[in-house]
Amino acid sequence: MKYIRTIMMIVGGICLLGIGCTVQNQESEINLSELKQSDNNIRVPHNDRLHMSTDQRWVEEEGHQSDLIRLQWTAERAKPAIVWLDEKGMNKTAIISHDKANNPEQQDHKHISFETTMSPTGEYPNQLFTRFEIPYDTDVSEIRTHSSNFNVMSGILRVAGERGTNRDIQFSVAGKENETITRWALRADSSEEPGDNSGADMQFVRFDDDGKVVDSPLTIKRSSGNVGLGTNDPDTKLDINGGMLRIRDKYTPASSTDACSQGQIAWDDDYVYVCVTENKWKRTGLSSW
Protein backbone atom coordinates (compact mmCIF):
# COMPACT_ATOMS: atom_id res chain seq x y z
CA MET A 1 0.00 0.00 0.00
CA LYS A 2 2.90 2.38 0.51
CA TYR A 3 3.37 2.57 -3.27
CA ILE A 4 -0.28 3.48 -3.81
CA ARG A 5 -0.08 6.15 -1.12
CA THR A 6 3.08 7.49 -2.74
CA ILE A 7 1.56 7.72 -6.20
CA MET A 8 -1.57 9.32 -4.80
CA MET A 9 0.53 11.93 -3.02
CA ILE A 10 2.52 12.64 -6.19
CA VAL A 11 -0.53 12.90 -8.42
CA GLY A 12 -2.40 14.88 -5.78
CA GLY A 13 0.52 17.29 -5.52
CA ILE A 14 0.47 17.76 -9.28
CA CYS A 15 -3.25 18.55 -9.11
CA LEU A 16 -2.66 21.18 -6.42
CA LEU A 17 -0.16 22.87 -8.73
CA GLY A 18 -2.91 23.49 -11.25
CA ILE A 19 -2.53 20.38 -13.40
CA GLY A 20 -5.79 18.55 -14.08
CA CYS A 21 -5.45 14.81 -13.57
CA THR A 22 -8.04 12.06 -13.65
CA VAL A 23 -8.06 8.40 -14.48
CA GLN A 24 -10.77 8.08 -17.13
CA ASN A 25 -12.80 5.48 -18.94
CA GLN A 26 -15.51 6.04 -21.53
CA GLU A 27 -18.36 6.13 -19.01
CA SER A 28 -17.09 7.91 -15.91
CA GLU A 29 -14.13 9.03 -13.91
CA ILE A 30 -12.72 6.60 -11.37
CA ASN A 31 -11.15 7.33 -8.03
CA LEU A 32 -7.39 7.20 -7.53
CA SER A 33 -7.96 4.62 -4.80
CA GLU A 34 -8.72 2.13 -7.58
CA LEU A 35 -5.05 2.11 -8.58
CA LYS A 36 -3.59 -1.30 -7.82
CA GLN A 37 -0.20 -2.41 -6.61
CA SER A 38 1.44 -5.42 -8.30
CA ASP A 39 4.93 -6.23 -7.06
CA ASN A 40 6.77 -2.89 -7.44
CA ASN A 41 4.32 -1.53 -10.01
CA ILE A 42 1.34 0.76 -9.67
CA ARG A 43 -1.37 -0.28 -12.14
CA VAL A 44 -4.26 1.71 -13.55
CA PRO A 45 -7.34 -0.53 -13.95
CA HIS A 46 -7.45 -2.37 -17.27
CA ASN A 47 -8.50 -0.22 -20.27
CA ASP A 48 -8.50 2.96 -18.16
CA ARG A 49 -6.21 5.89 -18.71
CA LEU A 50 -4.18 8.20 -16.54
CA HIS A 51 -5.08 11.58 -18.02
CA MET A 52 -3.02 14.67 -17.16
CA SER A 53 -3.34 18.19 -18.52
CA THR A 54 -1.94 21.62 -17.75
CA ASP A 55 -2.42 25.25 -18.66
CA GLN A 56 0.89 26.26 -17.06
CA ARG A 57 3.93 27.42 -19.00
CA TRP A 58 7.50 26.73 -17.97
CA VAL A 59 8.72 29.69 -15.92
CA GLU A 60 12.19 28.72 -14.73
CA GLU A 61 12.30 30.99 -11.69
CA GLU A 62 8.95 29.61 -10.52
CA GLY A 63 9.89 25.97 -10.99
CA HIS A 64 9.08 23.45 -13.70
CA GLN A 65 5.35 24.07 -13.65
CA SER A 66 4.73 22.65 -17.11
CA ASP A 67 6.24 19.23 -16.33
CA LEU A 68 3.54 16.58 -16.56
CA ILE A 69 5.83 13.59 -16.08
CA ARG A 70 9.30 13.81 -14.56
CA LEU A 71 11.65 10.84 -14.73
CA GLN A 72 14.81 11.19 -12.65
CA TRP A 73 17.81 8.91 -12.29
CA THR A 74 19.01 8.70 -8.70
CA ALA A 75 22.17 6.68 -9.38
CA GLU A 76 24.76 7.47 -12.03
CA ARG A 77 24.06 4.36 -14.13
CA ALA A 78 20.29 4.34 -13.72
CA LYS A 79 18.29 4.49 -16.96
CA PRO A 80 14.76 5.96 -16.64
CA ALA A 81 12.69 4.69 -19.56
CA ILE A 82 9.25 4.52 -21.09
CA VAL A 83 8.89 0.99 -22.46
CA TRP A 84 6.28 -0.68 -24.66
CA LEU A 85 5.69 -4.43 -24.27
CA ASP A 86 3.80 -6.94 -26.38
CA GLU A 87 0.92 -9.12 -25.20
CA LYS A 88 3.43 -11.60 -23.74
CA GLY A 89 5.20 -8.93 -21.68
CA MET A 90 8.29 -8.80 -23.92
CA ASN A 91 10.07 -5.47 -24.50
CA LYS A 92 9.58 -4.12 -28.02
CA THR A 93 10.27 -0.37 -28.03
CA ALA A 94 11.54 2.20 -25.55
CA ILE A 95 12.48 5.85 -25.05
CA ILE A 96 15.41 6.16 -22.64
CA SER A 97 17.49 9.07 -21.35
CA HIS A 98 20.57 8.48 -19.23
CA ASP A 99 24.02 9.78 -18.41
CA LYS A 100 26.35 6.78 -18.00
CA ALA A 101 26.81 3.68 -20.12
CA ASN A 102 26.12 0.27 -18.59
CA ASN A 103 29.76 -0.63 -19.18
CA PRO A 104 32.00 1.59 -17.02
CA GLU A 105 34.76 1.29 -19.64
CA GLN A 106 32.63 3.06 -22.26
CA GLN A 107 32.41 6.83 -22.58
CA ASP A 108 29.44 8.62 -21.01
CA HIS A 109 26.33 8.34 -23.18
CA LYS A 110 24.56 11.59 -22.19
CA HIS A 111 21.68 11.16 -24.61
CA ILE A 112 18.04 10.40 -25.11
CA SER A 113 17.60 7.32 -27.30
CA PHE A 114 14.80 5.62 -29.19
CA GLU A 115 15.24 1.87 -29.03
CA THR A 116 13.64 -1.15 -30.71
CA THR A 117 14.34 -4.85 -30.42
CA MET A 118 16.74 -6.76 -32.64
CA SER A 119 15.53 -9.61 -34.85
CA PRO A 120 14.24 -12.64 -32.89
CA THR A 121 16.30 -14.88 -35.20
CA GLY A 122 19.48 -12.76 -35.23
CA GLU A 123 22.64 -12.64 -33.13
CA TYR A 124 20.99 -10.62 -30.33
CA PRO A 125 17.37 -11.81 -30.37
CA ASN A 126 14.74 -9.51 -28.85
CA GLN A 127 17.32 -7.19 -27.23
CA LEU A 128 16.51 -3.49 -27.18
CA PHE A 129 18.97 -1.65 -29.38
CA THR A 130 19.50 2.09 -29.87
CA ARG A 131 18.23 3.17 -33.30
CA PHE A 132 18.20 6.95 -32.85
CA GLU A 133 20.00 9.10 -30.27
CA ILE A 134 20.17 12.80 -29.45
CA PRO A 135 22.98 13.85 -27.06
CA TYR A 136 22.56 16.53 -24.39
CA ASP A 137 25.03 18.85 -22.61
CA THR A 138 26.44 20.00 -25.96
CA ASP A 139 26.00 23.15 -28.05
CA VAL A 140 25.93 21.16 -31.30
CA SER A 141 24.13 17.84 -30.89
CA GLU A 142 25.60 15.03 -33.00
CA ILE A 143 22.39 13.10 -33.74
CA ARG A 144 23.04 9.47 -34.71
CA THR A 145 21.26 6.42 -36.02
CA HIS A 146 22.49 2.84 -35.60
CA SER A 147 21.79 -0.20 -37.78
CA SER A 148 19.05 1.82 -39.45
CA ASN A 149 18.16 2.91 -42.96
CA PHE A 150 16.68 6.38 -43.38
CA ASN A 151 13.92 6.61 -46.00
CA VAL A 152 11.96 9.66 -47.13
CA MET A 153 8.64 8.43 -48.53
CA SER A 154 6.91 10.92 -50.85
CA GLY A 155 8.78 13.81 -49.27
CA ILE A 156 11.99 15.84 -49.35
CA LEU A 157 15.33 15.30 -47.66
CA ARG A 158 16.57 18.86 -47.16
CA VAL A 159 19.88 20.31 -45.94
CA ALA A 160 19.35 24.00 -45.26
CA GLY A 161 21.61 26.77 -43.99
CA GLU A 162 22.10 30.49 -44.11
CA ARG A 163 23.56 32.18 -47.18
CA GLY A 164 27.35 32.24 -47.05
CA THR A 165 27.62 28.86 -45.29
CA ASN A 166 28.57 25.44 -46.64
CA ARG A 167 25.74 22.89 -46.71
CA ASP A 168 27.21 19.38 -46.77
CA ILE A 169 26.20 15.77 -47.09
CA GLN A 170 29.33 14.01 -45.84
CA PHE A 171 30.65 10.48 -46.30
CA SER A 172 32.90 9.45 -43.42
CA VAL A 173 34.61 6.52 -41.76
CA ALA A 174 33.67 5.59 -38.19
CA GLY A 175 36.26 5.36 -35.45
CA LYS A 176 36.28 4.67 -31.73
CA GLU A 177 33.49 6.02 -29.53
CA ASN A 178 31.39 7.21 -32.47
CA GLU A 179 34.17 9.41 -33.87
CA THR A 180 33.83 10.09 -37.60
CA ILE A 181 36.44 11.30 -40.12
CA THR A 182 35.20 12.77 -43.39
CA ARG A 183 36.39 11.39 -46.73
CA TRP A 184 34.03 13.07 -49.23
CA ALA A 185 31.33 15.72 -49.14
CA LEU A 186 28.61 16.76 -51.53
CA ARG A 187 28.48 20.50 -50.88
CA ALA A 188 26.48 23.57 -51.78
CA ASP A 189 29.33 25.99 -51.12
CA SER A 190 29.48 29.34 -49.34
CA SER A 191 30.01 31.48 -52.46
CA GLU A 192 28.11 34.77 -52.46
CA GLU A 193 24.52 34.87 -53.74
CA PRO A 194 23.98 38.34 -55.27
CA GLY A 195 20.42 37.58 -56.36
CA ASP A 196 21.03 36.80 -60.05
CA ASN A 197 20.70 33.01 -59.82
CA SER A 198 24.39 32.57 -59.02
CA GLY A 199 26.35 31.45 -55.95
CA ALA A 200 25.96 28.36 -53.76
CA ASP A 201 27.72 26.24 -56.40
CA MET A 202 27.68 22.43 -56.16
CA GLN A 203 30.99 20.72 -55.33
CA PHE A 204 32.37 17.26 -54.69
CA VAL A 205 34.95 17.89 -51.96
CA ARG A 206 37.88 15.56 -51.21
CA PHE A 207 39.40 15.12 -47.72
CA ASP A 208 42.70 13.64 -46.53
CA ASP A 209 43.18 10.90 -43.90
CA ASP A 210 42.90 13.46 -41.09
CA GLY A 211 39.55 14.77 -42.38
CA LYS A 212 40.98 18.02 -43.80
CA VAL A 213 39.85 19.42 -47.15
CA VAL A 214 42.21 18.67 -50.04
CA ASP A 215 40.35 20.16 -53.02
CA SER A 216 37.14 20.11 -55.05
CA PRO A 217 37.70 17.76 -58.00
CA LEU A 218 34.30 18.61 -59.49
CA THR A 219 32.31 21.86 -59.43
CA ILE A 220 28.98 22.74 -61.06
CA LYS A 221 28.17 26.46 -61.37
CA ARG A 222 24.60 27.28 -60.37
CA SER A 223 24.53 30.33 -62.67
CA SER A 224 25.45 28.51 -65.88
CA GLY A 225 25.47 24.76 -65.23
CA ASN A 226 29.13 24.70 -66.38
CA VAL A 227 31.07 21.72 -65.04
CA GLY A 228 34.65 22.12 -63.86
CA LEU A 229 37.13 19.29 -63.32
CA GLY A 230 39.99 20.58 -61.19
CA THR A 231 38.65 24.15 -61.32
CA ASN A 232 36.04 25.91 -59.18
CA ASP A 233 35.28 28.48 -61.90
CA PRO A 234 34.48 26.67 -65.17
CA ASP A 235 33.76 29.05 -68.08
CA THR A 236 32.57 26.43 -70.61
CA LYS A 237 30.11 23.55 -70.35
CA LEU A 238 33.07 21.28 -69.54
CA ASP A 239 36.24 22.98 -68.28
CA ILE A 240 39.14 20.64 -67.46
CA ASN A 241 42.10 21.99 -65.53
CA GLY A 242 44.63 19.37 -66.56
CA GLY A 243 47.14 18.51 -69.30
CA MET A 244 45.28 15.61 -70.94
CA LEU A 245 41.81 14.28 -71.72
CA ARG A 246 41.62 10.51 -72.19
CA ILE A 247 39.21 8.46 -74.29
CA ARG A 248 40.30 4.91 -73.51
CA ASP A 249 38.79 2.83 -76.31
CA LYS A 250 39.39 3.01 -80.06
CA TYR A 251 36.46 3.38 -82.42
CA THR A 252 36.49 3.45 -86.23
CA PRO A 253 33.30 4.57 -87.99
CA ALA A 254 32.37 2.19 -90.81
CA SER A 255 32.06 5.16 -93.23
CA SER A 256 31.64 8.92 -93.26
CA THR A 257 27.84 8.36 -93.06
CA ASP A 258 27.92 5.92 -90.17
CA ALA A 259 25.34 6.67 -87.45
CA CYS A 260 26.42 9.42 -85.05
CA SER A 261 25.25 12.50 -83.18
CA GLN A 262 26.80 15.92 -83.68
CA GLY A 263 29.84 16.48 -81.49
CA GLN A 264 30.88 12.86 -80.95
CA ILE A 265 34.63 12.24 -81.11
CA ALA A 266 36.46 8.94 -81.75
CA TRP A 267 39.96 7.77 -82.63
CA ASP A 268 41.95 4.82 -83.92
CA ASP A 269 45.60 4.21 -84.88
CA ASP A 270 45.41 6.43 -87.99
CA TYR A 271 42.71 9.11 -87.52
CA VAL A 272 40.72 11.31 -85.18
CA TYR A 273 37.02 11.35 -86.14
CA VAL A 274 34.48 14.10 -85.42
CA CYS A 275 30.74 13.87 -86.08
CA VAL A 276 30.00 17.33 -87.54
CA THR A 277 26.26 16.78 -88.02
CA GLU A 278 23.88 13.86 -87.67
CA ASN A 279 25.31 10.75 -89.40
CA LYS A 280 28.21 12.70 -90.96
CA TRP A 281 31.79 12.08 -89.88
CA LYS A 282 34.98 13.93 -90.80
CA ARG A 283 38.50 12.81 -89.95
CA THR A 284 42.04 14.05 -89.79
CA GLY A 285 45.14 11.89 -90.08
CA LEU A 286 47.65 11.14 -87.31
CA SER A 287 51.40 11.04 -87.83
CA SER A 288 54.50 10.43 -85.73
CA TRP A 289 57.22 13.02 -85.14
Side-chain angles (χ1 to χ4, degrees):
M1 293 298 297
K2 65 177 182 179
Y3 293 107
I4 293 178
R5 288 195 296 270
T6 300
I7 196 69
M8 290 178 64
M9 291 175 61
I10 293 173
V11 176
I14 294 174
C15 295
L16 290 174
L17 287 175
I19 299 174
C21 44
T22 56
V23 181
Q24 296 182 337
N25 58 30
Q26 291 183 347
E27 296 180 354
S28 62
E29 296 183 358
I30 67 173
N31 193 284
L32 288 174
S33 63
E34 296 184 38
L35 296 174
K36 295 180 175 60
Q37 177 183 338
S38 175
D39 298 325
N40 291 326
N41 300 313
I42 302 298
R43 295 180 178 271
V44 175
H46 186 63
N47 284 341
D48 287 318
R49 298 178 178 87
L50 180 63
H51 177 84
M52 294 181 289
S53 62
T54 182
D55 59 4
Q56 300 296 308
R57 62 190 180 94
W58 183 0
V59 182
E60 186 174 2
E61 60 270 19
E62 296 178 6
H64 302 265
Q65 292 188 10
S66 61
D67 293 357
L68 283 176
I69 299 174
R70 183 180 296 182
L71 306 180
Q72 181 180 1
W73 55 78
T74 53
E76 66 174 12
R77 299 197 186 278
K79 301 176 70 171
I82 300 173
V83 183
W84 286 262
L85 295 77
D86 66 11
E87 68 279 7
K88 298 178 181 179
M90 297 289 292
N91 289 342
K92 289 300 177 182
T93 61
I95 301 175
I96 301 173
S97 184
H98 64 124
D99 194 76
K100 303 288 185 181
N102 285 336
N103 184 351
E105 296 180 359
Q106 292 182 343
Q107 68 174 5
D108 294 347
H109 279 189
K110 293 185 179 293
H111 64 217
I112 182 171
S113 60
F114 294 78
E115 306 191 4
T116 61
T117 48
M118 302 291 277
S119 168
T121 59
E123 184 178 358
Y124 304 102
N126 301 314
Q127 290 190 24
L128 282 172
F129 183 78
T130 298
R131 306 295 185 173
F132 184 79
E133 65 176 88
I134 307 174
Y136 58 80
D137 284 352
T138 178
D139 292 333
V140 177
S141 189
E142 293 286 340
I143 299 172
R144 302 183 182 93
T145 62
H146 303 268
S147 297
S148 305
N149 296 325
F150 192 82
N151 299 299
V152 178
M153 308 298 290
S154 301
I156 297 173
L157 177 62
R158 179 181 290 117
V159 178
E162 297 180 355
R163 288 180 173 85
T165 61
N166 292 328
R167 284 134 287 178
D168 285 10
I169 298 177
Q170 296 188 352
F171 303 89
S172 306
V173 293
K176 294 181 179 179
E177 299 179 345
N178 293 322
E179 178 189 18
T180 59
I181 304 175
T182 307
R183 290 292 179 258
W184 291 93
L186 177 61
R187 169 177 295 174
D189 73 8
S190 59
S191 56
E192 183 180 357
E193 297 186 32
D196 58 355
N197 300 321
S198 65
D201 299 325
M202 183 62 67
Q203 296 180 332
F204 283 84
V205 184
R206 186 166 61 106
F207 294 74
D208 65 16
D209 287 346
D210 296 324
K212 297 178 181 178
V213 173
V214 176
D215 57 18
S216 302
L218 187 148
T219 297
I220 305 173
K221 300 291 287 185
R222 188 166 70 93
S223 58
S224 61
N226 290 347
V227 177
L229 299 179
T231 175
N232 294 340
D233 191 24
D235 57 11
T236 58
K237 283 302 178 184
L238 179 60
D239 187 339
I240 300 173
N241 181 19
M244 290 184 289
L245 173 65
R246 184 176 183 181
I247 302 175
R248 287 179 176 265
D249 296 331
K250 300 177 184 180
Y251 175 75
T252 303
S255 69
S256 63
T257 58
D258 197 10
C260 67
S261 298
Q262 182 176 318
Q264 288 181 327
I265 299 173
W267 66 277
D268 60 24
D269 290 341
D270 300 312
Y271 298 97
V272 171
Y273 304 89
V274 179
C275 183
V276 295
T277 188
E278 187 175 1
N279 301 334
K280 184 176 179 61
W281 291 95
K282 290 189 176 182
R283 69 186 184 184
T284 183
L286 301 174
S287 61
S288 300
W289 75 97

